[in-house]
Amino acid sequence: TFNVPLIKFGATYYKVTYTSVDAKGEPDILSGLLLVPDDVNFKYPALVYQHGTSDCKTCVPSRLGSSGGDEGKIGLLFAGMGFVSILPDLVGMGDSRGFQTYVQASTTMSATEHMVQAVRSWAPDHGIAMNDQLFITGYSQGGYSSMVFQEGMQNKFGASSVTAAAHMSGPYSLSGTMRDLILS
């Protein structure tokens, strides 16, 4: 547990596997981490946290409790604050086959959206009440991933589909940065 005044709940965590698509559009089994506040007397908002850059296939949130899964602890903080915390490993990471699709918008969007859908369909059958709020954040590669997910959700379901988002320290303009670097 954390000795932080904002932490009101303990949390239960689950490794989630779900179906999405890889960069070629082929079905793949992806993994992620789900953390749920331990008090069943509330309806909780969902919070998607996108992990930072990792060059290690198993250094992802779903490996919480094992070597490399330390970023999953961020989900414990969010769950302790009262969010159903959803942390996708993304395509090519965790249980997914193949290579990481680093900062690739379409797979980032589909992997994250499919995990949120899987959690929302699973939760009611397991006594987890969720409201319609959706918060999105991420750091480093996750800053980019959270931005892509916010844009995708709002384009697909409207501006009100995302309650709030905070994209932190991400590679937001790779093509513009590379162009400027090469031309200089």
Side-chain angles (χ1 to χ4, degrees), residues 12 14-15 17 20 35 44 53 56-57 61-62 64 69 76 93 95 104 106 124 130 136 138 143 146 154 167-168 179:
T12 303
Y14 306 88
K15 178 182 174 187
T17 56
S20 192
L35 301 105
Y44 297 102
T53 303
C56 167
K57 187 171 180 77
S62 72
L64 178 64
L76 286 171
M93 302 298 280
D95 290 0
Q104 207 258 341
S106 65
M130 297 173 66
I136 303 169
S146 64
Q154 290 180 324
H167 318 299
M168 300 177 286
R179 180 192 66 237

Side-chain angles (χ1 to χ4, degrees), residues 129-153:
M130 297 173 66
N131 63 32
D132 291 333
Q133 291 180 305
L134 176 62
F135 295 83
I136 303 169
T137 191
Y139 184 79
S140 186
Q141 175 187 353
Y144 168 85
S145 298
S146 64
M147 180 184 66
V148 164
F149 183 56
Q150 176 189 0
E151 179 182 51
M153 290 297 290

Side-chain angles (χ1 to χ4, degrees), residues 97-119:
R97 67 176 188 272
F99 296 99
Q100 176 179 193
T101 55
Y102 183 74
V103 296
Q104 207 258 341
S106 65
T107 58
T108 297
M109 176 57 192
S110 62
T112 307
E113 181 183 9
H114 293 151
M115 184 171 177
V116 170
Q117 290 169 343
V119 167

Side-chain angles (χ1 to χ4, degrees), residues 41-80:
N41 294 312
F42 298 98
K43 280 183 115 174
Y44 297 102
L47 182 140
V48 172
Y49 175 78
Q50 303 281 23
H51 67 80
T53 303
S54 176
D55 62 356
C56 167
K57 187 171 180 77
T58 58
C59 298
V60 291
S62 72
R63 301 311 198 263
L64 178 64
S66 65
S67 178
D70 289 342
E71 199 162 7
K73 291 178 183 176
I74 293 169
L76 286 171
L77 283 171
F78 289 130

